[in-house]
Amino acid sequence: MPSEQNPLLAQVPLTVSPFITLPKAPTLPHNYASLPSTLPPSILNSDSDDHSGPPAYVTSGSGFRAQPSTIVTQNKALRHQLDTAASEASTKVRDWRAAIDERELAEKRRKAPGWLDSDAKILRPATTAPPPDTKPGASLLDADEHNTDALRPQASANDMGSQMDRAFG
């Protein structure tokens, strides 16, 4: 069959590279023996130990024989077993950490009962309404000298506490 030349390839010059060597015929060793005229029977047609499935033709050095589909099935089962073991281990670690947190919380509740059970975490003094004679934004420290009656303490102890609450916010 005559080969047609490609016009583009005909324009490319051929070069000889000193770095590339063409393959040569191998030289045979002196103890070379030719193949026997009769080959051993095929392992695909040999009688296997179990006649339930196709013949096992993957053989290991230890003598284990299996078919590739059997090896794939065993690998999938092993992967499933490893995934199950990893998920069980992560569940155990999560439970262990939760138990530690619960023990720490129980210890804190033992030291300060009722404190962790309520939402009130910051204590603030109760504020009362300012007296009607003072401005809402004015402080006792900003009072002028003419209005000294607002600075005088009243006879009542409760009134003194309310004045201190007004002074210190």
Side-chain angles (χ1 to χ4, degrees), residues 3 6 13 19-20 37 39 46 83 85 88 99 107 123 127 137-138 140 142 156-157:
S3 65
N6 189 332
F19 304 109
I20 298 175
S37 60
L39 293 175
S46 66
D83 290 341
E88 288 175 0
E107 180 68 18
L123 298 178
T127 58
L140 288 176
D142 294 336
S156 167

Side-chain angles (χ1 to χ4, degrees), residues 106-166:
E107 180 68 18
K108 289 176 185 176
R109 283 192 174 135
R110 186 184 66 79
K111 290 180 181 176
W115 176 255
L116 295 173
D117 299 327
S118 66
D119 290 335
K121 300 292 184 201
I122 299 174
L123 298 178
R124 294 185 182 147
T127 58
T128 58
D133 59 345
T134 61
K135 295 182 225 173
S139 169
L140 288 176
L141 299 175
D142 294 336
D144 56 351
E145 296 174 4
H146 304 294
N147 191 6
T148 57
D149 57 348
L151 296 176
R152 285 199 188 113
Q154 303 293 332
S156 167
N158 289 340
D159 208 10
M160 179 69 124
S162 66
Q163 284 184 3
M164 289 187 72
D165 283 345
R166 276 184 264 131

Side-chain angles (χ1 to χ4, degrees), residues 57-66 71:
Y57 57 89
V58 176
T59 307
S60 71
S62 64
F64 175 75
R65 294 174 49 150
I71 295 171

Side-chain angles (χ1 to χ4, degrees), residues 24-30 32:
K24 298 177 185 174
T27 55
L28 297 176
H30 66 282
Y32 171 75

Side-chain angles (χ1 to χ4, degrees), residues 14 20 77 84-85 91 94 108 125 128-129 150:
L14 293 177
I20 298 175
T84 305
T91 303
R94 195 176 325 113
K108 289 176 185 176
T128 58

